């Protein structure tokens, strides 16, 4: 079976700085991958390239049959709308839109809006009573759940989460991890950037980066066994 | 969803948008007022100009006999043309007469028409109100001094072996040739001169722009063969110059005000663009294309422009009334054709002022999401 994500000799340079240096790995559909490493190791750069927010300097990145490096700006925009669901550490919700409208915004840029679907997505993350609240009226955990509902609304091929629990307390972290678990159980492919060993241990595999290079790929589940 | 987001955008940055709206409304108010004044002032001023004397003269051809006279039937032919721009028609017959031993020019005319086109004449005593009044006359200021006449005086005029007796109704000061003349009823002058049915010339007061006056002159010339139809060029040119200068002043003032409004909007929008970088970065990350995102922001600016234009138009009507009363001494009424012009100009200014928002299209989502 062809992997959903193929990263082959990926390089990203910012001037003289090599943020990613010949990184290669594959991700199968339905896998949960934790991308780990110290600060400045290239985790966010990797996820930005996978998400079509940045261009690779060299190497190949293929997601669901599309080679990211060959796409123009317009095609990358379409790629993000169709295939990627983002969850960010800072939540990145539009402050003047309600929870419901924030989810519908992703629908709007994807195709057409469906208020009922958006409301159901929020119900699935336990926010049925927060539809008309703006982000300022929601706790950090609730905001992150809105972001997860928004990431899922267009049924993306790949969910990219950059430190999704980095700004949350333990209780909310547990809620978000439970949601990620549920997504994984329902067959979603998830790449999570994290510093947390605990979260890394929940993934099927860990891709560890150091100074922009692939240090190792490990399978915590096997280690646990 | 577009309208839903647009509505939220308008509510999101109320402070900055309010500043932009004030700039747009102020600019639109001044533009609306000046456009109203421009449209109305032209009409009002051309009406005012028509009280400043004749601007078209019809006379027998120049170069002919000095005593060349036209048939008074020309008056009926002018009336038959039914030219709406002709405000007043005053025939004149000039007769060389004597008052005692003093020579004097007697001008026979229609007083009611003379009054219409020369309302600025200074009058001491009374006016001769009826065109058919054969008993009264008006005496020019200089002639009255020479002949020792005052309102109520009797004056005997002689031409050849014919005499008439008139009572002075008033003394007029015109600053023109009339100051040396005695003005009386046309029939009386014709009777004294024995020139029944003859006139020396016909003065017309024609309203309109210089081009319209030129048009009326051509029409009269075409229909009155054998007569010279001449616009009084100094008056027509002066009117044209005044109107042209007023319109030029209004045009450049509007242009300046629009530029100033645009700068006001530009300042607000530049600050707004900084606030919106995050939103645009996120929208692009979510798959929003630049044209689709920009449509939202331009629609926001356009809505602001339309609202500013509408409010500005209403304020402008009030301002135009004030300007009209204070400066022109007339009531300037609202001209609704100014509304679409004002709204269109204000939307244009708002969109031009929204230039900084258009630069948001260059925002790179990766930079924004990194927190740069």
């Amino acid at each position: 079976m062809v992997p959903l994500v193929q990263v082959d000799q990926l390089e990203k340079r910012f001037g003289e700085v090599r943020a990613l240096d010949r990184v290669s790995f594959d991700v199968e559909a339905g896998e949960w991958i934790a991308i780990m490493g110290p600060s400045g190791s290239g985790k966010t750069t990797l996820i930005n390239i996978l998400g079509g927010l940045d261009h690779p300097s060299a190497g190949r990145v293929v997601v669901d049959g599309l080679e990211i490096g060959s796409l123009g700006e317009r095609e990358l925009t379409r790629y993000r709308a169709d295939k990627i669901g983002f969850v960010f550490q800072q939540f990145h919700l539009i402050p003047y839109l309600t929870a419901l409208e924030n989810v519908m915004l992703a629908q709007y840029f994807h195709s057409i809006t469906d208020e009922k679907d958006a409301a159901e997505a929020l119900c699935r993350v336990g926010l049925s009573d927060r539809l008309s609240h703006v982000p300022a009226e929601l706790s950090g955990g609730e905001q992150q759940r809105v972001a997860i509902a928004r990431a899922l609304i267009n049924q993306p091929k790949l969910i990219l989460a950059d430190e999704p629990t980095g700004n949350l307390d333990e209780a909310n972290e547990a809620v978000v991890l439970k949601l990620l678990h549920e997504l994984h159980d329902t067959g979603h492919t998830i790449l999570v950037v994290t510093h947390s060993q605990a979260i890394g241990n929940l993934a099927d595999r860990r891709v560890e980066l150091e100074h922009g290079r692939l240090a190792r790929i490990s399978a915590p589940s096997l280690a646990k066994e | 969803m577009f309208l839903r987001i647009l509505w939220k955008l308008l509510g999101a940055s109320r402070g900055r948008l309010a500043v932009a709206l004030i700039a747009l409304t102020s600019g639109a108010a001044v533009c609306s007022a000046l456009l109203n004044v421009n449209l109305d002032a032209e009409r009002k001023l051309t009406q005012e100009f028509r009280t400043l004397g004749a601007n078209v003269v019809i006379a027998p051809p120049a170069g002919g006999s000095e005593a060349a006279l036209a048939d008074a039937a020309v008056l009926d032919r002018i009336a038959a043309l039914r030219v709406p721009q002709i405000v007043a028609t005053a025939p004149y017959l000039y007769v060389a007469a004597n008052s005692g031993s003093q020579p004097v020019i007697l001008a026979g005319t229609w007083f009611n028409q003379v009054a219409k086109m020369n309302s600025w004449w200074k009058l001491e005593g009374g006016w001769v109100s009826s065109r058919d009044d054969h008993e009264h006359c008006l005496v020019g200021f200089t002639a009255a001094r020479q002949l020792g006449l005052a309102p109520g005086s009797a004056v005997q005029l002689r031409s050849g072996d014919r005499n008439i007796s008139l009572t002075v109704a008033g003394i007029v000061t015109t600053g023109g040739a009339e100051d040396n003349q005695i003005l009386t009823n046309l029939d009386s002058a014709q009777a004294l001169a024995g020139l029944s049915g003859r006139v020396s010339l016909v003065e017309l007061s024609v309203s309109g722009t210089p081009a319209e006056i030129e048009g009326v002159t051509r029409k009269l010339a075409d229909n009155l063969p054998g007569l010279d139809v001449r616009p009084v060029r100094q008056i027509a040119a002066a009117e044209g110059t005044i109107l042209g200068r007023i319109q030029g002043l209004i045009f450049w003032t509007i242009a300046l005000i629009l530029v100033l409004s645009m700068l006001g909007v530009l300042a607000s929008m530049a600050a707004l663009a900084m606030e919106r970088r995050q939103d645009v970065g996120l929208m692009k990350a979510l798959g929003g294309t630049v044209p689709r995102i920009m449509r939202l922001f331009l629609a926001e600016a356009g809505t602001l422009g339309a609202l500013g234009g509408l409010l500005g138009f209403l304020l402008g009507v009030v301002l135009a009334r004030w300007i009209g009363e204070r400066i022109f001494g007339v009531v300037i009424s609202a001209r609704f054709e100014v509304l679409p012009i004002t709204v269109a100009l204000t939307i244009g200014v708002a969109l031009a002022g929204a230039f900084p928002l258009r630069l948001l299209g260059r925002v790179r989502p990766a930079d924004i999401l990194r927190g740069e």
Side-chain angles (χ1 to χ4, degrees):
Chain A
M1 204 169 80
V2 180
L4 178 69
V5 178
Q6 294 168 274
V7 178
D8 184 19
Q9 296 292 306
L10 173 64
E11 281 186 35
K12 179 65 185 179
R13 288 183 293 273
F14 295 104
E16 295 298 308
V17 179
R18 217 177 262 261
L20 290 172
D21 188 3
R22 287 166 290 163
V23 173
S24 300
F25 67 95
D26 291 344
V27 179
E28 301 295 335
E31 263 194 303
W32 178 348
I33 302 289
I35 299 171
M36 303 185 69
S39 292
S41 59
K43 304 184 300 289
T44 298
T45 305
L46 174 62
I47 218 163
N48 280 348
I49 291 174
L50 287 171
L53 297 174
D54 228 334
H55 290 277
S57 303
R60 283 175 80 237
V61 177
V62 179
V63 178
D64 198 30
L66 283 174
E67 189 179 339
I68 308 301
S70 67
L71 301 180
E73 276 306 317
R74 189 181 289 261
E75 292 151 322
L76 274 178
T77 303
R78 196 64 243 161
Y79 162 77
R80 290 195 294 269
D82 285 348
K83 298 197 186 293
I84 304 296
F86 283 109
V87 180
F88 307 100
Q89 181 179 2
Q90 308 291 342
F91 322 134
H92 287 304
L93 300 175
I94 303 273
Y96 43 85
L97 299 182
T98 63
L100 184 68
E101 288 162 345
N102 265 288
V103 176
M104 289 171 72
L105 188 68
Q107 289 180 317
Y108 174 68
F109 289 130
H110 178 264
S111 49
I112 51 165
T113 54
D114 184 330
E115 193 165 341
K116 194 162 154 272
D117 272 3
E120 277 172 12
L122 284 167
C123 292
R124 279 199 295 277
V125 297
L127 293 175
S128 54
D129 56 343
R130 293 283 191 271
L131 303 187
S132 57
H133 288 63
V134 291
E137 297 165 346
L138 301 172
S139 70
E142 288 171 328
Q143 288 188 52
Q144 196 58 298
R145 280 188 274 163
V146 174
I148 291 172
R150 181 181 65 190
L152 295 175
I153 192 68
N154 296 323
Q155 289 147 359
K157 291 280 182 183
L158 187 60
I159 295 169
L160 300 174
D162 191 354
E163 300 278 7
T165 58
N167 270 353
L168 301 180
D169 57 25
E170 274 182 35
N172 278 306
E173 180 179 311
V175 172
V176 169
L177 288 177
K178 183 170 170 283
L179 279 170
L180 290 174
H181 255 303
E182 285 169 11
L183 292 175
H184 182 232
D185 291 345
T186 52
H188 286 88
T189 308
I190 307 169
L191 267 78
V192 180
V193 167
T194 182
H195 278 107
S196 160
Q197 289 294 336
I199 297 172
N201 287 339
L202 295 170
D204 296 327
R205 286 191 295 154
R206 292 198 306 209
V207 171
E208 292 181 44
L209 300 176
E210 279 175 14
H211 304 296
R213 292 193 180 139
L214 183 63
R216 71 191 65 82
I217 299 177
S218 56
S221 51
L222 292 177
K224 275 184 268 180
E225 282 170 13
Chain B
M1 188 64 188
F2 179 84
L3 292 176
R4 202 163 170 170
I5 301 172
L6 178 60
W7 180 247
K8 291 295 174 79
L9 278 173
L10 288 168
S13 310
R14 279 191 288 269
R16 298 208 188 285
L17 294 181
V19 172
L21 184 63
I22 289 169
L24 288 167
T25 305
S26 319
V30 177
C31 290
S32 160
L34 290 178
L35 287 170
N36 265 300
V37 166
N38 182 40
L39 289 175
D40 236 36
E42 185 175 328
R43 187 166 54 85
K44 294 263 160 54
L45 282 175
T46 47
Q47 280 174 8
E48 291 283 317
F49 288 150
R50 287 309 84 242
T51 63
L52 300 179
N55 55 357
V56 175
V57 175
I58 300 170
S65 153
E66 214 171 278
L69 297 172
D71 192 326
V74 67
L75 296 165
D76 297 329
R77 285 157 66 196
I78 293 168
L81 289 174
R82 296 184 187 282
V83 180
Q85 290 95 332
I86 296 177
V87 177
T89 306
Y92 282 91
L93 175 67
Y94 297 108
V95 179
N98 285 288
S99 171
S101 58
Q102 297 262 22
V104 66
I105 299 293
L106 179 69
T109 187
W110 291 346
F111 282 114
N112 62 333
Q113 297 293 302
V114 172
K116 270 193 204 172
M117 67 173 86
N118 297 297
S119 61
W120 52 277
W121 283 4
K122 273 195 224 162
L123 177 71
E124 180 197 342
W127 188 262
V128 182
S129 51
S130 168
R131 193 161 106 179
D132 302 319
D133 187 332
H134 293 84
E135 292 170 7
H136 292 93
C137 66
L138 296 177
V139 183
F141 175 76
T142 311
R145 210 169 46 186
Q146 282 171 354
L147 300 174
L149 297 174
S153 307
V155 58
Q156 291 273 339
L157 294 171
R158 190 182 74 250
S159 177
D161 56 355
R162 286 176 287 274
N163 293 289
I164 52 168
S165 295
L166 298 166
T167 304
V168 177
I171 308 295
V172 289
T173 307
T174 69
E178 295 86 356
D179 282 352
N180 298 306
Q181 298 169 0
I182 294 176
L183 290 98
T184 189
N185 168 281
L186 178 64
D187 296 341
S188 302
Q190 286 171 336
L192 182 67
L195 293 169
S196 178
R198 311 297 285 173
V199 294
S200 305
L201 56 86
V202 180
E203 287 187 352
L204 300 178
S205 175
V206 180
S207 70
T209 61
E212 286 170 334
I213 295 167
E214 199 71 39
V216 172
T217 306
R218 268 198 306 277
K219 185 173 182 182
L220 289 168
D222 291 345
N223 287 279
L224 302 171
L227 290 171
D228 269 355
V229 182
R230 298 187 304 267
V232 180
R233 295 217 178 265
Q234 297 92 323
I235 292 178
E239 288 176 10
T241 305
I242 290 169
L243 285 175
R245 283 187 183 165
I246 287 175
Q247 282 173 341
L249 179 71
I250 286 173
F251 174 82
W252 287 112
T253 308
I254 287 175
L256 184 67
I257 292 292
L258 291 178
V259 169
L260 291 175
S261 298
M262 196 193 68
L263 291 177
V265 175
L266 206 66
S268 294
M269 292 296 181
L272 197 62
M274 289 304 291
E275 284 179 5
R276 297 270 170 88
R277 285 183 79 240
Q278 187 90 9
D279 302 349
V280 172
L282 177 66
M283 287 177 182
K284 287 177 98 171
L286 292 177
T289 58
V290 174
R292 203 156 187 198
I293 297 168
M294 287 305 107
R295 261 205 298 277
L296 280 169
F297 293 131
L298 293 180
E300 180 190 25
T303 306
L304 214 58
L307 188 61
L310 191 64
L311 292 174
F313 169 76
L314 296 173
L315 281 175
V317 169
V318 177
L319 190 60
R321 273 178 182 270
W322 184 82
I323 291 173
E325 282 169 18
R326 283 294 177 98
I327 296 173
F328 295 105
V330 294
V331 176
I332 293 193
S333 40
R335 301 287 291 255
F336 285 95
E337 60 263 43
V338 170
L339 175 62
I341 299 170
T342 306
V343 171
L345 283 173
T346 318
I347 289 174
V349 166
L351 292 178
F355 181 73
L357 292 179
R358 272 179 267 177
L359 295 180
L360 286 174
R362 297 181 190 167
V363 164
R364 296 181 67 243
D367 297 340
I368 297 299
L369 299 174
R370 264 199 297 269
E372 287 178 13

